[in-house]
Amino acid sequence: MSATLPDPIEVEGTVQSIVFHNEENGYTIMQVSTEEEDSLTVLGTIPAVVEGEQIKALGQWKKDRKFGRQFEAKTIRAVAPNSADGIRRFLASGLIDGVGKTYAKRIVEKFGTDTFRIIEEESQRLQEVSGIGKGRRLKIKNSWKQQKSVRDIMIFLHEYGLSTARAVRLYKTYGEETVGILRSDPYRLAREISGVGFKTADEIAQKMGQAVDSPKRLEAGVQYVFEQAEQQGHCALPRSELIERSVETLESPAEAVEAIIDQLILGTGLIAEPAGDEILIFPKELYEAEQLVANSIRTLISQERTLPPVDEEAAIDWFERHNTMKLGEEQAAAVIEATKHRFFVITGGPGVGKTTIMNAVLQILMAKEVKPILCAPTGRAARQLGESTGQDAATIHRTLEYQPQAGFARKADNPLEGDLFIIDEASMIDLRLMAQLMSAIPPTGNVLLVGDVDQLPSVGPGSVLRDIIESGVVPVARLTQIFRQAASSRIVTASHEVNLGNIPPLDNDAESDFFFIERSQPEEILSTVKHLISERIPEKFKLNARDEIQILTPMNRQSLGTKELNAQLQESLNPPSQNKFEIDRFGTSFRVGDKVIQTRNNYEKEIFNGDIGHIAEITTEPVTIYVMFDGQSVSYEPGELDELQLAYAITIHKSQGSEFPAIIVPLASQHYMMLQRNLLYTAITRGKRLVIIVGDRRSLEIAVRNKESRKRWTGMRGRLASERQTSSYSSSGDKGEA
């Protein structure tokens, strides 16, 4: 026998209060008054609702042990309130700019149930209300129109599985054309809206009836494959690999995928280029960026220097006397070579004197009235560069005068003004940024790249520093001699041992700044990490647990990945309390006091991927989160919190370009896919005063011995090395964050 479900019951009433509303999925708990009952609890999903609105809900009654009788709705539909009290509540909810409780009462007292019609059709009559002039009247009218559009769009998008927060972002991008744009090409979401990927757009497209073999879908799928490849550092993919990945993503026949790839090549959206036995396929933008960088460098190295001549012995002697120090032979040679070449690279690990060489080059050339420009990829790296040289330094974006809407102001037709351009932390520079920088170097400019080529490559596409060095056509000073004062640091010596493929000394001298604590099980590692950050290090080294100690882990996933570590550390270091505001978004609870990291570049806020700060304040009306980044307060709306993650633990990749007073690195067999020499080397070099590795010895040995890392498909090295500019690949890449 089959049980028959009872017919759904309809409940209609006025929303008295919103108990809970999840902007991500629309799940809502509200108190509703009906003709029969003054207050009943309704649970269900609705994209947006405010006090005073009328709702019609279909569902069933249920009895909850804790909360009693409730109405569980399968569907909820909101309609404009039709009573004077409901209209007053609706207007007083804060939804409409220019109307609070006082003006809501005055407007409804004047117009009664005709209020909404007056706002829409005869808004000039609002000026009949005491205190409302032309300015407030226009604000009310425009806000009413915008909110009506937003709510219609949210309802439309909720039908196709998109959250309220995403709906608001869509409206900000497309305005009232949102629905029409999505109906014509839902894949625009993946291309143009941050946080919406191909899979989400594809789900919406399928629900809207998009054919699985439509050219728009196939093209969007191929573009998505390139986006995924970029996240792994590639500038191109072999044709066979591109086809294989696209077939898997689209679940479409290889013939259809090959046809759309050929069509994109004919339309110049993609560029095909021979590379040995392979055909590499480049997105046009990255192909042109490689060409620009290679051509710019080749032009510089082929030209005579424009810097003033330097008397080698006299210059070195002058610098040493003025700074009461003695340069090593390797360092002195690098200083002189840097003054001779239009494009020069200095690379080497910690303690080899890269900063000293930069200072020597700067002081010697500035004495000859050379104008320097100093920059680095991140704000932290730029600040460190400025502090170590005593000169003004800025991010590359700020140097190039980037504006969110206008783009880069400094470029080929408006070049930078300077003679010597010093770019620090060059291993972090991806292809796009390098192309922008090189296009802005003036014809008479000289470039000095400084960085550690053995660190992890850039997060973005390309392997710029390594490809430039390995091309063999650019003059390079590779420093290996460790300064005496740096050699006393076990952090420095341990990092060099790791880079050479040797296990560093693990004897844990009490006076050391480098320690290895052996733990075999993930639970033991986690327990030790929590004890170190919350008790041991703050007590012994007098360091602040949140601001001065950083957990660096190889992965995002698993029990020792960032997600689980952050959840555990948040409970230890910043537990919930009645006095602490918090907000739940995108699967994370954000509390006042939490340490957070920006996960993508946001040029409008001037905050960049990898910037770390803490939540200073959360306000409720409206909900706004204020984060302090190095003394700068930055505000976030709830829908923007997908740009933030907790940062008690971050991946080693995210730590590039940053230094921390103390770091703790959990290392376990669960990290097997990520255990590589350059990853461990990068982690160790992030610590200034203290580095502690917690894990099993075998995982440490695997990481030290594993020099191999995933190939990055690029063409830069070949373009630099050969007039024919045939592509090649760089093997300097990484596997990305797991």
Side-chain angles (χ1 to χ4, degrees):
M1 293 183 63
S2 60
T4 58
L5 295 173
D7 292 334
I9 300 166
E10 183 176 78
V11 166
E12 183 175 352
T14 302
V15 178
Q16 300 295 312
S17 64
I18 311 297
V19 179
F20 174 80
H21 179 70
N22 186 325
E23 289 188 5
E24 290 308 294
N25 55 26
Y27 182 74
T28 305
I29 303 172
M30 62 187 119
Q31 293 298 314
V32 176
S33 66
T34 67
E35 290 183 359
E36 295 79 21
E37 299 185 47
D38 289 337
S39 182
L40 60 90
T41 302
V42 175
L43 301 78
T45 300
I46 184 170
V49 66
V50 297
E51 291 181 16
E53 276 189 302
Q54 297 284 116
I55 60 124
K56 291 183 178 180
L58 282 176
Q60 299 292 336
W61 291 103
K62 75 167 191 174
K63 193 163 186 177
D64 185 276
R65 286 185 180 180
K66 185 175 180 181
F67 299 106
R69 182 169 173 265
Q70 299 176 326
F71 189 80
E72 191 170 50
K74 295 294 184 185
T75 63
I76 305 176
R77 184 166 58 90
V79 296
N82 52 24
S83 68
D85 183 62
I87 293 170
R88 179 187 59 76
R89 283 173 170 270
F90 181 86
L91 291 178
S93 67
L95 191 69
I96 308 301
D97 289 345
V99 182
K101 291 181 179 180
T102 300
Y103 282 107
K105 182 180 179 182
R106 291 180 188 176
I107 292 169
V108 175
E109 283 177 350
K110 177 71 176 176
F111 301 114
T113 56
D114 206 25
T115 294
F116 291 156
R117 188 191 67 77
I118 293 294
I119 294 174
E120 285 198 39
E121 300 175 11
E122 301 179 52
S123 67
Q124 69 276 7
R125 289 193 59 194
L126 289 172
Q127 292 181 225
E128 298 173 16
V129 176
S130 174
I132 296 182
K134 183 178 179 181
R136 186 178 293 272
R137 188 254 298 178
L138 291 175
K139 182 186 285 189
I140 293 170
K141 180 182 179 181
N142 293 335
S143 179
W144 172 268
K145 182 179 179 182
Q146 179 179 340
Q147 289 298 330
K148 193 170 186 298
S149 296
V150 170
R151 290 160 72 78
D152 289 346
I153 290 166
M154 287 193 291
I155 290 168
F156 172 82
L157 293 174
H158 260 262
E159 292 178 5
Y160 296 106
L162 219 61
S163 72
T164 301
R166 293 280 188 265
V168 172
R169 187 169 287 186
L170 281 175
Y171 182 83
K172 286 181 178 179
T173 304
Y174 301 130
E176 295 182 11
E177 298 178 2
T178 300
V179 173
I181 286 171
L182 295 187
R183 287 191 186 281
S184 64
D185 183 8
Y187 295 103
R188 283 184 65 172
L189 270 71
R191 297 194 300 270
E192 299 173 3
I193 303 298
S194 176
V196 178
F198 168 77
K199 292 183 179 179
T200 300
D202 197 36
E203 286 179 15
I204 294 171
Q206 298 301 308
K207 289 177 182 177
M208 294 176 71
Q210 183 81 251
V212 294
D213 60 350
S214 73
K216 282 184 180 178
R217 179 176 184 268
L218 296 175
E219 182 177 333
V222 172
Q223 289 174 338
Y224 171 72
V225 167
F226 272 118
E227 289 168 11
Q228 296 298 105
E230 268 193 46
Q231 291 178 16
Q232 296 170 336
H234 301 300
C235 296
L237 284 175
R239 180 183 173 93
S240 57
E241 187 172 338
L242 174 60
I243 293 169
E244 182 181 340
R245 290 191 185 196
S246 300
V247 166
E248 183 179 349
T249 297
L250 290 160
E251 297 181 351
S252 296
E255 297 78 11
V257 169
E258 289 191 68
I260 203 73
I261 290 171
D262 289 339
Q263 186 176 321
L264 288 169
I265 292 171
L266 287 172
T268 70
L270 300 177
I271 306 293
E273 188 173 66
D277 296 332
E278 294 280 1
I279 298 293
L280 283 189
I281 310 295
F282 291 79
K284 182 182 179 183
E285 177 200 5
L286 295 181
Y287 176 85
E288 291 179 345
E290 281 198 350
Q291 295 275 39
L292 188 154
V293 173
N295 290 341
S296 299
I297 294 174
R298 291 174 69 89
T299 298
L300 284 177
I301 62 178
S302 67
Q303 294 176 341
E304 293 294 323
R305 74 178 182 186
T306 57
L307 294 171
V310 171
D311 184 318
E312 299 179 11
E313 289 188 14
I316 296 298
D317 180 64
W318 175 85
F319 172 77
E320 291 178 340
R321 282 188 291 105
H322 277 74
N323 292 272
T324 61
M325 65 176 300
K326 181 71 175 174
L327 293 175
E329 289 185 16
E330 195 176 56
Q331 286 77 30
V335 170
I336 296 305
E337 288 301 307
T339 66
K340 289 182 177 179
H341 299 283
R342 295 290 305 279
F343 193 100
F344 192 68
V345 176
I346 297 173
T347 188
V352 296
K354 296 191 296 294
T355 300
T356 302
I357 293 169
M358 278 194 289
N359 275 317
V361 172
L362 277 168
Q363 291 179 31
I364 290 168
L365 292 177
M366 287 176 68
K368 293 177 175 288
E369 298 185 348
V370 167
K371 180 184 178 182
I373 301 290
L374 281 68
C375 57
T378 67
R380 282 174 176 258
R383 281 189 292 276
Q384 290 166 7
L385 177 61
E387 290 167 4
S388 62
T389 61
Q391 302 296 320
D392 291 336
T395 63
I396 296 174
H397 281 85
R398 188 177 291 277
T399 300
L400 298 177
E401 299 175 18
Y402 181 86
Q403 296 294 326
Q405 303 302 322
F408 293 93
R410 294 293 185 173
K411 44 195 172 184
D413 58 1
N414 182 30
L416 293 164
E417 297 171 9
D419 306 309
L420 174 64
F421 298 86
I422 298 180
I423 301 100
D424 199 13
E425 293 288 355
S427 63
M428 295 180 63
I429 303 176
D430 66 25
L431 176 62
R432 285 193 181 88
L433 191 54
M434 189 65 177
Q436 292 292 344
L437 179 61
M438 293 307 299
S439 70
I441 300 296
T444 57
N446 300 265
V447 176
L448 175 59
L449 280 188
V450 183
D452 187 347
V453 73
D454 293 319
Q455 288 187 22
L456 290 168
S458 59
V459 174
S463 187
V464 174
L465 182 61
R466 182 171 293 275
D467 281 355
I468 288 173
I469 291 172
E470 292 187 351
S471 71
V473 301
V474 173
V476 177
R478 182 151 196 161
L479 309 173
T480 58
Q481 180 185 349
I482 303 174
F483 278 167
R484 188 185 310 165
Q485 58 268 36
S488 63
S489 166
R490 289 280 291 275
I491 294 174
V492 171
T493 56
S495 65
H496 281 273
E497 287 296 324
V498 167
N499 201 30
L500 292 170
N502 302 322
I503 304 295
L506 305 177
D507 51 1
N508 290 344
D509 184 331
E511 301 303 314
S512 177
D513 55 6
F514 175 84
F515 297 90
F516 175 73
I517 300 176
E518 189 164 8
R519 298 288 186 268
S520 57
Q521 298 302 316
E523 299 81 9
E524 296 174 329
I525 296 172
L526 176 59
S527 176
T528 301
V529 167
K530 289 170 69 175
H531 172 71
L532 287 169
I533 192 172
S534 61
E535 298 179 38
R536 180 62 174 163
I537 297 176
E539 290 172 5
K540 180 175 174 56
F541 295 92
K542 309 304 179 187
L543 294 174
N544 180 273
R546 185 191 70 187
D547 298 331
E548 296 181 297
I549 307 171
Q550 184 63 59
I551 311 297
L552 301 181
T553 183
M555 303 175 73
N556 281 316
R557 296 192 294 268
Q558 305 286 356
S559 63
L560 295 174
T562 57
K563 292 180 180 177
E564 183 61 27
L565 282 171
N566 275 317
Q568 295 274 347
L569 293 168
Q570 184 189 45
E571 288 302 304
S572 297
L573 301 176
N574 192 30
S577 75
Q578 291 183 338
N579 301 323
K580 211 174 280 180
F581 282 118
E582 67 176 67
I583 182 170
D584 293 323
R585 287 296 182 276
F586 305 103
T588 300
S589 292
F590 294 97
R591 297 176 190 140
V592 171
D594 273 334
K595 185 177 187 177
V596 292
I597 185 170
Q598 176 77 14
T599 60
R600 66 172 70 105
N601 291 339
N602 188 318
Y603 302 110
E604 291 185 5
K605 298 181 189 293
E606 293 192 356
I607 295 297
F608 302 99
N609 189 359
D611 284 348
I612 293 175
H614 71 272
I615 297 176
E617 183 183 7
I618 299 176
T619 60
T620 55
E621 293 184 3
V623 175
T624 308
I625 297 86
Y626 295 91
V627 180
M628 293 297 295
F629 293 97
D630 290 313
Q632 175 188 358
S633 179
V634 179
S635 64
Y636 292 81
E637 297 176 3
E640 298 175 312
L641 287 181
D642 58 341
E643 296 185 11
L644 291 179
Q645 290 177 1
L646 294 177
Y648 300 102
I650 63 175
T651 61
I652 297 167
H653 286 79
K654 288 288 188 188
S655 73
Q656 286 175 267
S658 299
E659 287 185 331
F660 308 94
I663 66 162
I664 305 170
V665 184
L667 217 56
S669 58
Q670 64 178 237
H671 300 138
Y672 182 80
M673 293 295 293
M674 303 296 293
L675 295 177
Q676 298 158 13
R677 185 183 301 173
N678 62 353
L679 193 84
L680 180 59
Y681 173 73
T682 300
I684 295 172
T685 57
R686 298 308 90 202
K688 291 197 292 186
R689 290 175 51 188
L690 180 66
V691 172
I692 302 177
I693 298 174
V694 183
D696 63 86
R697 190 180 294 258
R698 174 164 169 72
S699 295
L700 176 66
E701 292 173 350
I702 291 171
V704 170
R705 290 171 183 159
N706 183 16
K707 190 177 180 180
E708 294 299 318
S709 54
R710 183 174 294 179
K711 298 170 182 176
R712 286 192 170 193
W713 290 100
T714 77
M716 177 70 72
R717 189 171 59 192
R719 296 185 206 289
L720 283 166
S722 170
E723 288 290 344
R724 292 178 288 107
Q725 296 183 350
T726 55
S727 298
S728 62
Y729 66 76
S730 164
S731 60
S732 60
D734 60 274
K735 295 185 177 179
E737 295 175 10

